[in-house]
Amino acid sequence: MSYLTGPQLPVEMRLSLRGKSASSELPECSNDLGGLSSPDAHHALAGDELAQVAVVDGRWNILVVNAAWKRAAEYVGQPALLQRGGNLARYFLDGPNLDRNGVEVMLRGIREIDAGTTSQFLGSFKAAADDCHFQISISVFETDNRRYATVSRINVTELVELRAQTLSLSASLMRAQANLIRAQEDERQRVAREFHDTAAQHLTGVNLGLARLLAVSNDPAAIAIAQEIGDLLSQFHRDLRGVTYVLHPPELRLCGLHNAVRALCEGLEQRSGLEILARIYGDDRRRGTAVEAAMFRFVQEALANIHRHAHATQVRVRLESRADILLVVVKDDGIGLPEGWSDRPAPGVGMAAMANRVAELGGKFMIRSRPLAGGTVVAAAIPRDGAGQTFLPVKDFAAA
């Protein structure tokens, strides 16, 4: 059943009748076009230079065709087939000089319309001769209780090229952002190494000096001061080790994202008394990418916020490593977000850094209160293509 005229023969059978003029196949009503044959309507189509447009009846006989399509027919040497009374389907079937890619798409649209499977067809093709891109549109409409269709063919080469340029620029931007993340991680590793090699060594030397002072001093006041200084230095040494861990956690470098997140959760559970359940899915196939570093920092900051502010007792961490994306969801049963909180993080280092790091890699960040279950849920999704380069040197990959 055709959307245009009801039951019809397949288009190839109807157009295989040789010796008949195109106008002889026009239905009786085709000479009475109503509003479609008005001078204004014809002038509007004829003046359209942006697209090749035709209006056809239920048998694909041409009622109106604009100047742009007429010029295209003249260019391929078949202007007579694309006149009022000609048949658009036959034009594409019989045109030896027409681009075969375009013919295939147009005839597919005609078949779908004739089969009644759709009243709107949209297709595209790339011309074999000049690599131009075209879009074909067929839309059925009804007027004066008669059904017709508008057929258009638009050159969308510039749009396709612009889209390709946009994709290329986006890819370049993502690579630049990945390089930035890699540079940040390199700097973190350098600073952590400097702390370990210099500050930590100096602290060890100070502790040794205090030990000698305690060994030779008999003054109870001096001994008490030395012991107090020693306790402060020991605490500072522990804090310094924590800072170097945060700057560049060894688990991520040596063990990959999955084991690093698992170790992070287990370590915080032991230190804080929080009940942390980590569920990790997928294959840990890539190690040392900026995406993995960003995701680890995300989990790290989310857990730190829960420990400091949420007054929670239970935390659930879900990490999914999919082929094209990394997804993390962190939930807690704490006090939730302050009243009036929005998705946009308030000024501050932790939350803003989480959101910015995810956004820099083309990912999505979300934070919500859980009104029914209580607590807060924080989630991030980062495409793996957001960082195709590693921040770890080759020797670290060999050790991983």
Side-chain angles (χ1 to χ4, degrees), residues 312-385:
T313 59
Q314 294 183 338
V315 181
R316 298 291 181 266
V317 177
R318 180 185 181 93
L319 168 64
E320 291 189 28
S321 294
R322 301 177 183 175
D324 57 347
I325 198 170
L326 284 177
L327 174 66
V328 163
V329 180
V330 181
K331 301 178 181 179
D332 66 71
D333 63 349
I335 60 176
L337 297 171
E339 186 176 353
W341 181 271
S342 64
D343 280 340
R344 183 173 59 189
V349 176
M351 192 67 67
M354 290 166 61
N356 290 337
R357 184 178 289 268
V358 171
E360 284 174 355
L361 293 171
K364 298 295 184 182
F365 170 87
M366 185 273 289
I367 180 169
R368 292 277 195 282
S369 280
R370 304 168 67 197
L372 297 179
T376 306
V377 56
V378 184
I382 305 179
R384 287 189 179 274
D385 290 342

Side-chain angles (χ1 to χ4, degrees), residues 11 16 73 100 117 129 166 236 261 300 311 320 322 339 360 387:
V11 64
S16 64
R100 304 316 301 172
T117 58
T166 300
F236 181 67
V261 170
Q300 194 176 47
H311 302 289
E320 291 189 28
R322 301 177 183 175
E339 186 176 353
E360 284 174 355

Side-chain angles (χ1 to χ4, degrees), residues 86-108:
N87 190 278
L88 188 67
R90 173 170 289 172
Y91 170 75
F92 282 97
L93 280 171
D94 293 349
N97 298 323
L98 297 178
D99 185 271
R100 304 316 301 172
N101 294 337
V103 169
E104 180 180 346
V105 174
M106 181 67 77
L107 292 180
R108 186 172 75 246

Side-chain angles (χ1 to χ4, degrees), residues 30-54:
S30 65
N31 292 325
D32 180 14
L33 301 178
L36 293 176
S37 62
S38 67
D40 291 340
H42 192 277
H43 176 74
L45 283 175
D48 184 3
E49 300 298 329
L50 299 179
Q52 301 169 13
V53 184

Side-chain angles (χ1 to χ4, degrees), residues 63-82:
L63 307 178
V64 183
V65 61
N66 74 340
W69 213 334
K70 288 181 179 179
R71 284 194 298 272
E74 292 173 356
Y75 180 77
V76 297
Q78 295 177 312
L81 294 179
L82 203 69

